[in-house]
Amino acid sequence: MFRRAFWFTAGAAAGVWATTKVNRQLKKLTPESLAAQAADKAVEAGHRLKDFALDVRAGMSQREDELNDALGLHHDPARPDNVTALPGPRRLRAIEHDPHDRTTHRPNFSYNRNEDH
């Protein structure tokens, strides 16, 4: 008799436990709950994206400072918006026309795609 009472009680407890678990899972799958979970994930992704953008911006600023130091660019307060400029002789060399520069010239031959076949 005690044996039957034990198994009856164990079965009832297992049924209550299973019913509770199923109801919790069903509540998680309601549209409101899914929408709240999606909103939380979107906010979390937004924070990660913001942190990434801030890291990129800091890295860009650091690299820009390194390149300015390597190129000898100096800060000229007389220039608008604090624009840096190359020193005089280097600046002139940078803007002079290079006769060997082929980036602005087009080749003298025409290219016919049909000749490739």
Side-chain angles (χ1 to χ4, degrees), residues 10 28 31 40 46 49 53 58-59 87 93 95 107 116:
K28 286 183 182 178
D40 290 343
L49 187 61
R93 269 186 277 146
I95 61 175
D116 289 344

Side-chain angles (χ1 to χ4, degrees), residues 1-115:
M1 171 126 162
F2 288 110
R3 193 175 194 177
R4 286 185 184 175
F6 170 77
W7 286 114
F8 177 77
T9 307
V16 169
W17 177 80
T19 304
T20 305
K21 289 291 255 184
V22 168
N23 284 334
R24 284 184 190 164
Q25 291 299 322
L26 288 176
K27 285 182 183 177
K28 286 183 182 178
L29 296 177
T30 61
E32 296 83 14
S33 177
L34 292 175
Q37 289 175 10
D40 290 343
K41 294 290 183 181
V43 168
E44 184 180 329
H47 288 306
R48 286 182 182 173
L49 187 61
K50 179 184 171 189
D51 291 341
F52 174 73
L54 290 174
D55 289 345
V56 168
R57 184 177 292 160
M60 285 173 37
S61 177
Q62 179 183 358
R63 183 63 179 149
E64 184 179 2
D65 291 341
E66 291 172 1
L67 290 172
N68 285 340
D69 290 342
L71 292 174
L73 297 175
H74 62 283
H75 177 73
D76 187 3
R79 293 184 64 88
D81 296 323
N82 298 329
V83 176
T84 57
L86 288 169
R90 290 173 102 190
R91 190 168 142 258
L92 289 177
R93 269 186 277 146
I95 61 175
E96 284 178 351
H97 174 67
D98 183 11
H100 300 292
D101 182 20
R102 295 185 182 255
T103 58
T104 58
H105 295 69
R106 290 190 155 272
N108 291 333
F109 63 89
S110 65
Y111 181 71
N112 186 354
R113 293 190 305 164
N114 293 329
E115 292 176 358

